[in-house]
Amino acid sequence: MTTLQGSGDREEETTPGRTGEKAGSGRTLRRSTGPGPADHDHDGGHRALVYEDRAERFDAVAPFLRRGLELGERCLYVADEDAPDAVLAELRDRGIDADAALDSGALTVVTPPESRRPGGEFDREAMLEFWRDNIADAESDGHGGLRATAEMTLALDGESTPEGLVEYEATLDSLAAADQCALLCQYDRTRFPDGVIDEVIETHPLIAQGETVSENVYYTPPEEVLGPDRPGDRVDRRLRTLREQAESKVALRDHERDLHALYEVVADVEGTFEEKLSALLELGCERFDMEMGALARVDAETDRFEVEATNGDHPDLVPGSEYPLSETYCRATVAEGGTCAITDTGPFEDDLCYERFGVRTYLGTYLPFDDADDRTLWFVSRRPREEISTADEAFHHLVGQWVRYELEKRRQSDQFVALDDLNRTARDINGELAEQSTREEVERVVCDRLAESESYAFAWLGTVEGSDVVPTTRATDRDAAGLADLGTGGLAARAARTGEPQVLRDTEARRDSEPWRELAGRGITGVASVPVAYEDERYGVLTVYTTRERAFDAKERNILSQLGEIIGLAVAVIDHERELAHERERLEFFNRLVRHNLLNGLNVVSARAELLDGAVDSEMAPHARTVRERTEEMVDLVEQIRSLMRAVVETETEDLEATDLEGALVGKVEQARRTFGEAEFVLGESVADAGAVLADDLLGEAFENLLDNAVRHNDKETPRVVVSVETSAEETTVRIADNGSGIDEEVRERLFEKGEKGLDSGGSGFGLHLAREIIESYGGAIRAESRSPEGTVFSVSLPRATAD
């Protein structure tokens, strides 16, 4: 061990294995407990430098002094063979600003006459007094301590003896340990006998080699060097050193063997995690001399401890057994958050782990996980042990980290598989929902597919009633009977209320309350409820149950939320289709009413009005004529309404067919000529090549209204209407252009709306709206544009009929 020096009152601290530290690294092995200079980290101690040439000597001396200057210590160089200028030159060559240090008083170089008695011989007592004075001066000057190095060739005089030199160095060791002092003694191996060098090495706790300072395994404390039984102590110490070295070699060999065995286990690509864990538990028991190894789930918040896997045959510690964490040694491991060795069982003698389990030695490692159950990996024995080595703790920590890595990898793999399965299930559901015609069918598909997946054990859909969610459809799994009734007022109701997914990820942690106790008893580990909604309409809640551990992470919740929207869209479409069907039924009823009742009644009135012609006097004749004209207008209006309802109702259910466009146009143009004798109608040559379009017998009705509009709203003396046709690969466009005054943009934007009249029209306002409904029912389009310089053109685009 190495004891370094701090300031004030001191206490020793043992830190094994710190060999090869750099000088001035600040890693102290003796910690100061008393007052000292502010921000000062003194690394004192007694060092020996054994060198064979000048470069080797100053390669060690320079960093030693540099460190002292950095710490604000007083640095002293005791020269003997070298002149002060030569010493300073060597320091300068190695990057030390020696001149500034000399000017500030931080560095002093002294020569032998200043450190010897007047006669020049080496005097041990005088030198010791010299060091004490300099230590006191350094403290009084406000320096952080004294850092000194001496050329020990000054001890090579005729009066000095090896025994006296050894006693001197042993005393210096005590002086450096008792005061804030760092000493480096320089020994030239070419000048000192090997016997003296051997003694020198023995009396210095630290050995300097360049910038490296090593602990001296051959160091002998001063009390042994100066004691009366020195030869015997030396023999004991050296035998102890040899024994420790042999034990270290054996321990190193065993450690390498165990590391190799560990590598073979974890590198086995064919083995499962369970097989590898079992092998590691066996390896740990052999390595640590323990009776049993195990992996356990732990939760400090719920005081949970559950044995997950074991390689032993302890009657109480078997997989699945649960105990309070506070009654186990693992509570210490969890509290420390790392590796914990327990051989002093006093604090646990009232706990189950001591009284019932009989454990007397414990070694465990805490394995924390994000978003998953934490674990402890531990080994126990009924035999008491005095201690567990730091090497064993390190090896156990290494095994624990592999177990944690494998568990995390397996958890991520399980999550990936579950998400892939859920995505696939969601795609299947999405494809099937388009084929369903009722809400009950939609719900059944959803629940069955989710229950059939690898991700979930059961699913149900429910509607919101008050503060609860009432199940409407559930999966058909007989083993899941009754599960839908559990938690309907909890997670599902909260999901309906907040519009956000609600999740319970660990039913085991809630076993103290219903319904989670029953769910956990059935093997259900987690529950999630997501709203079934589309846009602003909420249709209910989907609830799923899983047996997977720690399911329903953020990604899974997002997929479930999207599935809730898909279900909501399917329900919305079905509801919309149902509403449309209801509206079509109402329109069909109204259509029949108009067609059979109203129209028949008007025809009767019209017939009777004709009978009045010539049968009334001149005074009543105008009234009879008005009745006949208004009746005819009403008949026309009813016919238009009937055509409109047919376009809306019947064309949605009837198939379109190839319709001769030329015939439809020519027939309606001839009809318009007979109706409007004052107007001029022109059929372009392109009409003859119009071909067939996808339509039905209402197509002529649309053209009739457009031709009628072109004449009725024309302010010219001779209205002129030109009909032309353009064809493309996909559609045919009919243009009906007039020479009227045109249509204002404001009117044009609402021209085809129901009941809209244009330009002082006396008509019903249904004509253009009817034309649009008919054309759009074919998948076509109609629009109106102003011509230049005058008039309006109506463009009707229709899909072309393709030959079979």
Side-chain angles (χ1 to χ4, degrees):
M1 101 181 205
T2 301
T3 53
L4 302 181
Q5 181 66 31
S7 63
D9 299 331
R10 300 166 182 83
E11 61 182 13
E12 290 190 351
E13 179 182 281
T14 301
T15 306
R18 290 193 175 180
T19 59
E21 295 182 15
K22 295 292 184 180
S25 66
R27 297 175 64 186
T28 61
L29 302 179
R30 179 185 292 275
R31 184 173 301 159
S32 170
T33 59
D39 300 324
H40 182 68
D41 184 14
H42 185 86
D43 56 345
H46 190 199
R47 299 164 170 82
L49 168 63
V50 180
Y51 63 91
E52 295 186 4
D53 57 48
R54 184 181 186 83
E56 183 182 1
R57 172 158 64 106
F58 280 100
D59 284 346
V61 170
F64 175 75
L65 293 177
R66 181 185 297 110
R67 177 60 175 166
L69 294 173
E70 292 172 352
L71 293 175
E73 298 171 341
R74 182 186 176 196
C75 296
L76 176 64
Y77 189 102
V78 179
D80 183 39
E81 293 186 317
D82 279 316
D85 288 343
V87 172
L88 295 173
E90 293 286 354
L91 297 179
R92 294 189 190 97
D93 289 345
R94 286 163 176 78
I96 295 178
D97 191 351
D99 297 325
L102 289 171
D103 293 341
S104 66
L107 174 65
T108 304
V109 181
V110 300
T111 54
E114 300 176 62
S115 57
R116 299 187 185 186
R117 290 201 171 202
E121 75 279 6
F122 178 76
D123 187 303
R124 178 167 59 87
E125 293 301 327
M127 285 300 297
L128 291 173
E129 186 64 29
F130 170 81
W131 292 122
R132 293 188 184 98
D133 291 343
N134 277 278
I135 291 172
D137 290 344
E139 292 179 353
S140 64
D141 291 343
H143 289 92
L146 176 67
R147 182 171 294 254
T149 179
E151 299 175 9
M152 293 309 296
T153 51
L154 58 84
L156 292 173
D157 57 52
E159 301 298 327
S160 301
T161 63
E163 292 78 7
L165 183 58
V166 169
E167 291 181 0
Y168 167 74
E169 289 288 9
T171 304
L172 278 184
D173 188 35
S174 299
L175 184 67
D179 294 281
Q180 191 157 307
C181 179
L183 298 177
L184 174 64
C185 301
Q186 307 174 30
Y187 283 90
D188 187 345
R189 187 172 181 182
T190 64
R191 301 286 301 279
F192 286 88
D194 288 342
V196 173
I197 295 297
D198 182 58
E199 299 281 3
V200 165
I201 292 175
E202 192 174 26
T203 54
H204 288 78
L206 300 174
I207 301 298
Q209 296 171 302
E211 294 191 21
T212 302
V213 179
S214 304
E215 296 181 14
N216 183 7
V217 298
Y218 300 107
Y219 168 67
T220 302
E223 60 271 16
E224 293 185 20
V225 174
L226 302 178
D229 299 326
R230 182 184 177 200
D233 292 338
R234 175 184 290 184
V235 172
D236 292 340
R237 180 179 55 78
R238 291 188 173 178
L239 288 174
R240 183 171 64 251
T241 299
L242 290 174
R243 183 175 64 253
E244 291 174 352
Q245 288 180 337
E247 291 174 350
S248 297
K249 289 181 180 179
V250 171
L252 179 60
R253 182 196 62 201
D254 292 345
H255 187 67
E256 291 176 347
R257 178 202 63 201
D258 294 339
L259 285 176
H260 181 71
L262 173 62
Y263 173 78
E264 286 187 336
V265 171
V266 301
D268 180 11
V269 295
E270 300 296 332
T272 65
F273 169 76
E274 288 74 16
E275 292 171 343
K276 294 179 181 180
L277 176 62
S278 177
L280 290 180
L281 293 179
E282 292 294 338
L283 175 62
C285 286
E286 181 181 351
R287 159 85 189 217
F288 309 132
D289 190 23
M290 297 285 194
E291 298 173 20
M292 187 180 77
L295 182 69
R297 300 173 184 268
V298 294
D299 189 336
E301 292 186 4
T302 60
D303 199 26
R304 179 189 179 195
F305 173 89
E306 178 187 354
V307 179
E308 185 173 5
T310 177
N311 71 332
D313 56 359
H314 194 286
D316 297 307
L317 300 174
V318 296
S321 58
E322 295 186 41
Y323 303 99
L325 176 64
S326 57
E327 293 286 327
T328 69
Y329 292 105
C330 284
R331 75 169 188 259
T333 299
V334 174
E336 291 189 11
T339 300
C340 180
I342 298 175
T343 55
D344 179 11
T345 57
F348 302 88
E349 291 183 356
D350 294 331
D351 298 333
L352 289 176
C353 56
Y354 185 92
E355 287 189 345
R356 177 173 170 181
F357 305 155
V359 174
R360 298 296 182 267
T361 305
Y362 169 91
L363 177 61
T365 291
Y366 178 53
L367 309 178
F369 293 89
D370 293 333
D371 204 26
D373 288 340
D374 293 342
R375 308 298 209 282
T376 53
L377 178 70
W378 42 271
F379 294 85
V380 294
S381 175
R382 296 180 179 90
R383 300 186 306 274
R385 291 261 291 275
E386 292 185 1
E387 64 178 359
I388 295 176
S389 70
T390 55
D392 281 349
E393 291 187 30
F395 187 84
H396 183 272
H397 180 78
L398 182 63
V399 174
Q401 291 309 301
W402 178 86
V403 172
R404 181 176 181 272
Y405 168 78
E406 284 296 314
L407 286 172
E408 182 68 24
K409 184 174 70 173
R410 187 170 68 167
R411 187 178 70 88
Q412 292 178 353
S413 176
D414 291 344
Q415 284 182 322
F416 174 81
V417 171
L419 289 176
D420 182 64
D421 174 68
L422 179 55
N423 272 308
R424 186 169 55 253
T425 301
R427 289 195 299 270
D428 293 343
I429 290 174
N430 189 30
E432 288 192 57
L433 291 188
E435 303 173 2
Q436 311 310 312
S437 58
T438 68
R439 181 167 180 169
E440 290 73 19
E441 291 174 351
V442 166
E443 293 178 346
R444 178 66 64 184
V445 166
V446 171
C447 293
D448 286 350
R449 296 301 167 268
L450 288 173
E452 292 167 1
S453 72
E454 297 293 331
S455 299
Y456 305 113
F458 180 66
W460 59 267
L461 279 154
T463 57
V464 180
E465 295 185 10
S467 59
D468 287 340
V469 175
V470 178
T472 55
T473 305
R474 64 193 67 182
T476 56
D477 185 357
R478 291 178 301 173
D479 295 334
L483 283 181
D485 299 324
L486 300 177
T488 56
L491 291 181
R494 193 156 59 245
R497 184 173 62 255
T498 64
E500 298 291 336
Q502 302 297 320
V503 169
L504 175 69
R505 308 188 63 190
D506 187 1
T507 57
E508 283 290 340
R510 305 288 186 88
R511 287 184 71 99
D512 57 339
S513 63
E514 290 288 358
W516 316 124
R517 182 186 300 110
E518 183 172 350
L519 289 174
R522 297 190 183 199
I524 300 298
T525 58
V527 183
S529 293
V530 296
V532 174
Y534 180 69
E535 294 183 343
D536 296 331
E537 187 70 26
R538 296 183 182 179
Y539 297 97
V541 175
L542 168 67
T543 299
V544 293
Y545 300 75
T546 186
T547 57
R548 293 181 289 122
E549 294 182 1
R550 292 291 181 178
F552 307 125
D553 62 4
K555 293 180 179 179
E556 186 172 354
R557 293 196 301 271
N558 183 53
I559 296 175
L560 286 173
S561 295
Q562 293 176 6
L563 181 58
E565 293 179 3
I566 292 172
I567 300 169
L569 174 59
V571 173
V573 169
I574 289 174
D575 287 352
H576 181 63
E577 289 291 339
R578 187 174 62 249
E579 292 174 1
L580 287 179
H582 180 63
E583 289 298 320
R584 282 196 296 271
E585 291 176 358
R586 293 175 61 190
L587 286 174
E588 179 61 27
F589 171 77
F590 185 60
N591 189 27
R592 289 196 303 269
L593 180 67
V594 169
R595 185 167 61 247
H596 295 291
N597 296 68
L598 182 59
L599 187 59
N600 289 341
L602 289 174
N603 286 330
V604 171
V605 172
S606 179
R608 296 295 186 270
E610 288 182 2
L611 294 176
L612 294 177
D613 283 345
V616 296
D617 57 26
S618 58
E619 183 179 353
M620 297 302 297
H623 297 295
R625 188 167 52 253
T626 300
V627 169
R628 187 175 65 253
E629 290 175 353
R630 290 291 182 263
T631 301
E632 291 175 354
E633 290 177 1
M634 291 296 295
V635 170
D636 290 341
L637 176 60
V638 170
E639 290 289 350
Q640 286 188 344
I641 293 175
R642 187 178 67 173
S643 298
L644 175 62
M645 285 190 292
R646 180 183 170 190
V648 172
V649 177
E650 295 181 6
T651 56
E652 292 187 5
T653 58
E654 294 182 356
D655 293 331
L656 302 179
E657 58 185 5
T659 302
D660 179 21
L661 181 58
E662 179 189 8
L665 286 172
V666 170
K668 291 301 176 182
V669 168
E670 290 301 325
Q671 178 181 327
R673 283 173 176 161
R674 290 193 298 271
T675 303
F676 304 103
E678 75 281 9
E680 178 184 355
F681 293 91
V682 180
L683 277 172
E685 295 180 358
S686 57
V687 173
D689 299 324
V693 295
L694 284 177
D696 57 18
D697 58 359
L698 285 177
L699 179 60
E701 186 80 20
F703 290 142
E704 179 181 343
N705 279 281
L706 294 175
L707 292 170
D708 183 86
N709 183 80
V711 176
R712 288 184 183 277
H713 303 302
N714 197 317
D715 57 354
K716 296 296 189 292
E717 183 176 349
T718 303
R720 189 171 189 271
V721 181
V722 179
V723 180
S724 61
V725 175
E726 291 183 7
T727 60
S728 68
E730 300 295 332
E731 64 181 14
T732 298
T733 301
V734 177
R735 288 188 170 82
I736 300 175
D738 63 58
N739 63 342
S741 59
I743 305 174
D744 293 339
E745 182 177 355
E746 182 180 351
V747 175
R748 192 164 60 243
E749 290 179 354
R750 62 178 190 275
L751 189 62
F752 297 100
E753 298 299 325
K754 183 167 56 178
E756 183 65 30
K757 300 180 181 181
L759 297 177
D760 303 323
S761 171
S764 65
F766 280 106
L768 293 181
H769 177 67
L770 173 61
R772 187 188 71 174
E773 290 292 335
I774 293 173
I775 298 303
E776 289 185 352
S777 72
Y778 303 151
I782 185 171
R783 57 188 178 276
E785 299 176 358
S786 292
R787 298 177 63 193
S788 178
E790 61 182 5
T792 302
V793 59
F794 285 88
S795 298
V796 177
S797 298
L798 297 165
R800 294 192 65 183
T802 57
D804 294 335

